[in-house]
Amino acid sequence: MRAVGGRRLVVLTGGPGTGKTTTVLRMLLMLQRHAPAPLRVRAAAPTGKAAQRLLQALRTGREALLATPLPQPWRTHADCIPQDDAVTLHRLLELHPRTGRFGRDAGRPLAADVVVVDEASMVDLAMMRALLDAVPPDATLVLVGDADQLHSVAAGSVLMDLVHVLEAEAAPELVRLCHSFRAEHALQAINQAVLAGDPGQLAGAVEAAGASAACHPVIDAASLQARLQAWARRLAALPIRPELPSAGSTPDAGDRRRQLAAEALRALASSQLLCALREGPFGAEAINHVIERLLRQAWSEPVEREWYPGRTVLVTRNDYALRLFNGDLGLCLADADGQLRVWFETAGDNGQPTVRDFATGALPALEGGFAITIHKSQGSEYGHAAVLLPPDATSRAVSRQLLYTGVSRARHALELWATTDVLAAALANDCPRSGGLRDQLRQQPPSPVREEAG
């Protein structure tokens, strides 16, 4: 970890469960140890949801460190870890919506000694250039993410290109974490098989996973309907419709409401259907309508009723006033008086997860949350994930990176809703991006490295 000191750039990459956030914490402590004064650390991510998760992870990690018998000097160093400052890159760089210009640039750089950017695989070329312009010349930029995940929606595959070039040069700026600390080694083998692009290896990994993984061929609308009916039955059986006590009905009603809502949200997060497409009969939008119809039938909810207990929604636009972000999942619940509120999990002041509720009419833009796109799932994890690919082996919308991002969201169990032909086509489509960054980096001479402080 001492190799981090004195470097302007650190790229930290690794798959799910490899300890990226823990490593970031240790990096920050080491940098602070060798700094002559308290470091100014800024933390950011491409999306509001990712920024919220980063802040929660840093807070939780800091509290865990302080709960150990840490020597006093290191406890003091822990003050450099951000506790209440993780924002989107747009907010970090002070984007002006009307002009599209950033308020932070080389002429007005960020007031920071260290800038940490999580989920860096989602950062495009234009945003990375703006970020590099705004980082002070003597500051350290730490890019964190899984380089094998989906690239940004816009131009470029910045993190993948950086990792490729730095790895080829055995550059000390790159830290790749390979060991997974999760117990679900069977699913790790599936992730590795997808990265290898080998259909036979993938089939063997799914078979070896036993009850933890299954492949269900979805070849047409009828086979999709069968899978959705089974999935809806699974959702209907989850405890996601508890009746909450009415607000103020008893002295502990508020605590009990939050407890029941938190349990329901955890149950909801235990299962998530991920779609390769957004539109069309195999896309997330259409599938949400099907699942909602099946659940309404199972729960005897009238079709004309827009809001009902158990309805799941996905926030599609950041609302900083409400502290709700693009990608947040909400669950509608009713109390004993029939009052409906939508509940979200969020980070509390102590860094631990908590829940908040909102009136149905007070929410920002929403869409159905029973099925979401793989793109929307980036950075999230689910106990049991099902990944749906369209039954068209010639579709260029499905790539190895898309499939890897989908399967790596699962922590305990995984379903692949796809034919062997479609899986093979996805593995063969490596989806190269021609942003030109990789060639430019190869042509650049190595930058001088500052001596490590201390």
Side-chain angles (χ1 to χ4, degrees), residues 238 240 263-272 312 329-331 370:
L238 294 175
I240 60 175
E263 292 172 354
L265 283 165
R266 284 194 293 270
L268 179 67
S270 69
S271 300
Q272 184 63 61
T312 301
L329 274 174
L331 179 62
F370 288 118

Side-chain angles (χ1 to χ4, degrees), residues 7 202 214 244 292 323 355 408:
R7 302 193 184 280
L202 176 58
L244 308 183
E292 285 213 44
R323 288 184 293 137
V355 293
S408 60

Side-chain angles (χ1 to χ4, degrees), residues 156-185:
S157 50
V158 177
L159 185 64
M160 178 180 286
D161 289 345
L162 279 171
V163 169
H164 187 276
V165 173
L166 293 175
E167 205 159 43
E169 298 178 353
E173 287 84 0
L174 175 66
V175 179
R176 180 184 280 277
L177 305 177
C178 299
H179 177 72
S180 175
F181 294 92
R182 291 183 182 172
E184 299 80 11
H185 295 297

Side-chain angles (χ1 to χ4, degrees), residues 100-223:
R101 297 179 180 274
F102 293 104
R104 294 289 182 173
D105 53 24
R108 187 170 174 259
L110 294 166
D113 302 302
V114 182
V115 179
V116 179
V117 178
D118 197 15
E119 297 295 342
S121 63
M122 300 167 66
V123 181
D124 60 50
L125 276 172
M127 179 61 75
M128 183 57 70
R129 177 170 181 170
L131 175 64
L132 293 175
D133 282 345
V135 173
D138 57 350
T140 298
L141 174 61
V142 182
L143 300 177
V144 186
D146 187 344
D148 296 311
Q149 275 192 179
L150 278 168
H151 315 310
S152 64
V153 177
S157 50
V158 177
L159 185 64
M160 178 180 286
D161 289 345
L162 279 171
V163 169
H164 187 276
V165 173
L166 293 175
E167 205 159 43
E169 298 178 353
E173 287 84 0
L174 175 66
V175 179
R176 180 184 280 277
L177 305 177
C178 299
H179 177 72
S180 175
F181 294 92
R182 291 183 182 172
E184 299 80 11
H185 295 297
L187 297 189
Q188 294 302 314
I190 293 175
N191 296 345
Q192 292 303 314
V194 172
L195 289 177
D198 187 333
Q201 183 180 342
L202 176 58
V206 171
E207 183 177 1
S212 296
C215 187
H216 302 291
V218 172
I219 60 176
D220 52 23
S223 55

Side-chain angles (χ1 to χ4, degrees), residues 4-319:
V4 173
R7 302 193 184 280
R8 284 202 59 207
L9 174 68
V10 177
V11 179
L12 174 63
T13 188
T18 53
K20 293 189 290 294
T21 302
T22 300
T23 304
V24 168
L25 289 168
R26 293 176 178 176
M27 279 186 184
L28 293 176
L29 289 177
M30 183 61 71
L31 288 169
Q32 182 61 76
R33 179 182 181 184
H34 295 285
L39 292 174
R40 299 167 299 171
V41 180
R42 299 299 306 274
T47 67
K49 180 66 173 176
Q52 183 186 42
R53 284 192 298 264
L54 172 61
L55 178 58
Q56 182 172 325
L58 291 175
R59 282 173 168 173
T60 303
R62 179 180 182 276
E63 293 302 318
L65 278 173
L66 294 177
T68 65
L70 203 64
Q72 184 57 44
W74 289 101
R75 300 180 77 86
T76 302
H77 297 333
D79 290 339
C80 75
I81 298 171
Q83 302 177 59
D84 55 2
D85 181 24
V87 296
T88 64
L89 285 171
H90 288 90
R91 296 197 83 188
L92 178 73
L93 302 179
E94 299 179 10
L95 175 69
H96 299 294
R98 294 181 181 176
T99 65
R101 297 179 180 274
F102 293 104
R104 294 289 182 173
D105 53 24
R108 187 170 174 259
L110 294 166
D113 302 302
V114 182
V115 179
V116 179
V117 178
D118 197 15
E119 297 295 342
S121 63
M122 300 167 66
V123 181
D124 60 50
L125 276 172
M127 179 61 75
M128 183 57 70
R129 177 170 181 170
L131 175 64
L132 293 175
D133 282 345
V135 173
D138 57 350
T140 298
L141 174 61
V142 182
L143 300 177
V144 186
D146 187 344
D148 296 311
Q149 275 192 179
L150 278 168
H151 315 310
S152 64
V153 177
S157 50
V158 177
L159 185 64
M160 178 180 286
D161 289 345
L162 279 171
V163 169
H164 187 276
V165 173
L166 293 175
E167 205 159 43
E169 298 178 353
E173 287 84 0
L174 175 66
V175 179
R176 180 184 280 277
L177 305 177
C178 299
H179 177 72
S180 175
F181 294 92
R182 291 183 182 172
E184 299 80 11
H185 295 297
L187 297 189
Q188 294 302 314
I190 293 175
N191 296 345
Q192 292 303 314
V194 172
L195 289 177
D198 187 333
Q201 183 180 342
L202 176 58
V206 171
E207 183 177 1
S212 296
C215 187
H216 302 291
V218 172
I219 60 176
D220 52 23
S223 55
L224 174 61
Q225 182 68 19
R227 294 311 322 156
L228 291 178
Q229 288 175 344
W231 190 258
R233 288 194 294 270
R234 175 186 185 85
L235 294 178
L238 294 175
I240 60 175
R241 282 166 48 95
E243 182 181 277
L244 308 183
S246 300
S249 57
T250 62
D252 64 346
D255 291 340
R256 183 59 176 161
R257 283 166 64 88
R258 286 187 290 273
Q259 177 187 348
L260 290 173
E263 292 172 354
L265 283 165
R266 284 194 293 270
L268 179 67
S270 69
S271 300
Q272 184 63 61
L273 176 56
L274 307 176
C275 304
L277 305 179
R278 175 181 175 82
E279 300 175 345
F282 291 85
E285 290 182 347
I287 287 173
N288 259 300
H289 290 307
V290 175
I291 294 177
E292 285 213 44
R293 174 173 54 80
L294 293 171
L295 289 176
R296 285 176 185 272
Q297 293 173 355
W299 293 332
S300 300
E301 290 290 347
V303 175
E304 65 275 7
R305 191 180 185 190
E306 179 183 7
W307 290 98
Y308 54 89
R311 184 188 177 192
T312 301
V313 292
L314 184 78
V315 175
T316 59
R317 188 182 67 237
N318 294 339
D319 189 317

